[in-house]
Amino acid sequence: MWNTVNEQISQAMHFDFKHTSKRQLQSPSSDKLFQISDGIHQYFVKIAHRGDLERFENEAHNLQLLTQESLFMVPDCITTGASIEFSFIVLEWLELDQQPHTNWHVMGSHLASLHLKHRQAMFGFDHDNFIGPTTQPNHWHKKWNIFFAEERIGWQLQLLHEKGIELVDKDYFVAFVKDMLHSHIVQPSLLHGDFWRGNMGFIHSVPSLFDPSCYYGDREVDIAMSELFAPLPDAFYIAYNKHYPLTQDYEQRKLIYQLYPILNHANIFAGHYLTEAKQQIERLLK
């Protein structure tokens, strides 16, 4: 497989590349992560099963879109490909600054700048993609409440149903979400889609994003996600609100937006995330 990786990097970069060092990195997922180098050039490589090639191709597309539309430092995709057994994506190697960092206000203003672009009239994306290993459907919808209820919450509940897990009556809860978001006026923004601390950093103090799950939706989804697992420093939220203030009723919607990544974790990992998802649904239905 590594011969294939070397060959495709050589073709993409127009010079003969053969790695002389390979270091495996810690991975939060089932993907295997590596830093490879020929002593001069360094690359970041993700490896998964051959069937994951589509996921890597989607990631490459999302990274390119964020590069075009945002002020963030986004790694370039060098190439994607597959061998007989494995698929891979090769990215530009970006050395992240050591934390803690003092430029969170710039991270906030950059995200607001991205969200302030309203270039789509509808909610969704040109194709389905992935959030982590999970397929993320993105059929276009005119109404945000229908998109989020069906393409996000309903989809995750259906995936759980197919595993024999019933946290709530799916049809009832999808209708509940539609009603909850019905009066919320939204202009579609390009979202990172998986905006939590593990998918961001700084390179020479410039904010950087990676591992996107892009689509056009309510910008509050990115903010809610940022508050879920490890809230960002206050400077981020202060700067974001300075450039693109959140409305007072955002707090009412935050729980439903945070339910989506919780359900996704329940589908991937089960365990305590199933309990957390059930509790979140009960809070919303009170």
Side-chain angles (χ1 to χ4, degrees):
M1 187 208 68
W2 286 106
N3 285 336
T4 304
V5 172
N6 287 334
E7 288 169 3
Q8 289 206 204
I9 293 174
S10 298
Q11 291 173 10
M13 300 305 292
H14 305 293
F15 62 81
D16 187 32
F17 178 85
K18 292 181 180 177
H19 73 272
T20 55
S21 67
K22 179 173 85 243
R23 180 169 67 97
Q24 187 162 2
L25 309 170
Q26 287 187 339
S27 175
S29 69
S30 59
D31 293 345
K32 293 182 179 179
L33 311 181
F34 295 89
Q35 177 191 17
I36 64 172
S37 174
D38 63 357
I40 301 173
H41 311 92
Q42 296 186 81
Y43 300 103
F44 178 75
V45 184
K46 290 186 188 180
I47 296 173
H49 297 295
R50 183 179 174 86
D52 286 287
L53 179 58
E54 182 185 1
R55 174 164 63 88
F56 287 154
E57 291 173 340
N58 272 288
E59 180 178 352
H61 178 267
N62 286 184
L63 289 169
Q64 184 180 31
L65 185 61
L66 280 179
T67 298
Q68 294 169 350
E69 297 292 337
S70 79
L71 299 170
F72 292 103
M73 179 81 73
V74 179
D76 290 334
C77 177
I78 307 302
T79 187
T80 61
S83 64
I84 294 173
E85 286 187 84
F86 301 101
S87 62
F88 58 85
I89 182 170
V90 181
L91 303 176
E92 173 188 13
W93 177 264
L94 296 177
E95 192 75 43
L96 295 178
D97 298 346
Q98 293 297 309
Q99 297 288 356
H101 213 282
T102 59
N103 268 22
W104 286 101
H105 64 288
V106 184
M107 183 78 76
S109 63
H110 280 13
L111 187 67
S113 176
L114 174 65
H115 287 169
L116 277 163
K117 296 179 180 181
H118 302 294
R119 295 178 177 172
Q120 279 289 348
M122 296 176 68
F123 302 98
F125 206 52
D126 285 336
H127 50 77
D128 296 346
N129 52 20
F130 296 83
I131 180 162
T134 310
T135 300
Q136 180 170 261
N138 291 314
H139 301 102
W140 291 104
H141 288 266
K142 293 180 181 179
K143 296 183 178 180
W144 168 246
N145 66 320
I146 294 176
F147 174 88
F148 193 78
E150 294 182 356
E151 306 287 323
R152 294 295 176 261
I153 302 302
W155 171 255
Q156 291 285 342
L157 290 174
Q158 179 63 28
L159 291 177
L160 287 170
H161 170 76
E162 290 172 5
K163 296 171 183 173
I165 301 169
E166 299 288 345
L167 298 180
V168 66
D169 181 274
K170 180 175 76 72
D171 293 337
Y172 172 80
F173 196 71
V174 166
F176 171 82
V177 173
K178 287 179 183 178
D179 185 61
M180 182 179 179
L181 298 176
H182 176 72
S183 61
H184 179 40
I185 299 171
V186 185
Q187 289 183 282
S189 298
L190 178 62
L191 307 182
H192 176 278
D194 197 4
F195 191 77
W196 72 287
R197 194 186 283 255
N199 289 339
M200 64 185 75
F202 297 87
I203 295 116
H204 302 302
S205 298
V206 177
S208 174
L209 294 183
F210 33 88
D211 286 341
S213 303
C214 293
Y215 64 98
Y216 292 90
D218 183 2
R219 47 95 177 221
E220 292 179 354
V221 169
D222 274 348
I223 301 299
M225 180 71 170
S226 77
E227 293 189 78
L228 178 58
F229 298 118
L232 304 182
D234 290 345
F236 167 85
Y237 300 102
I238 292 169
Y240 183 93
N241 276 286
K242 179 180 177 182
H243 289 85
Y244 197 176
L246 293 166
T247 58
Q248 289 184 343
D249 53 358
Y250 156 70
E251 292 294 330
Q252 300 171 15
R253 291 181 292 275
K254 183 167 71 173
L255 284 181
I256 191 62
Y257 290 159
Q258 290 179 338
L259 178 62
Y260 176 59
I262 294 172
L263 285 172
N264 188 49
H265 276 63
N267 265 301
I268 298 168
F269 303 112
H272 71 90
Y273 288 110
L274 288 169
T275 302
E276 188 174 348
K278 180 74 170 176
Q279 291 172 344
Q280 189 89 332
I281 289 169
E282 289 171 352
R283 281 195 291 268
L284 284 159
L285 290 175
K286 280 184 180 178

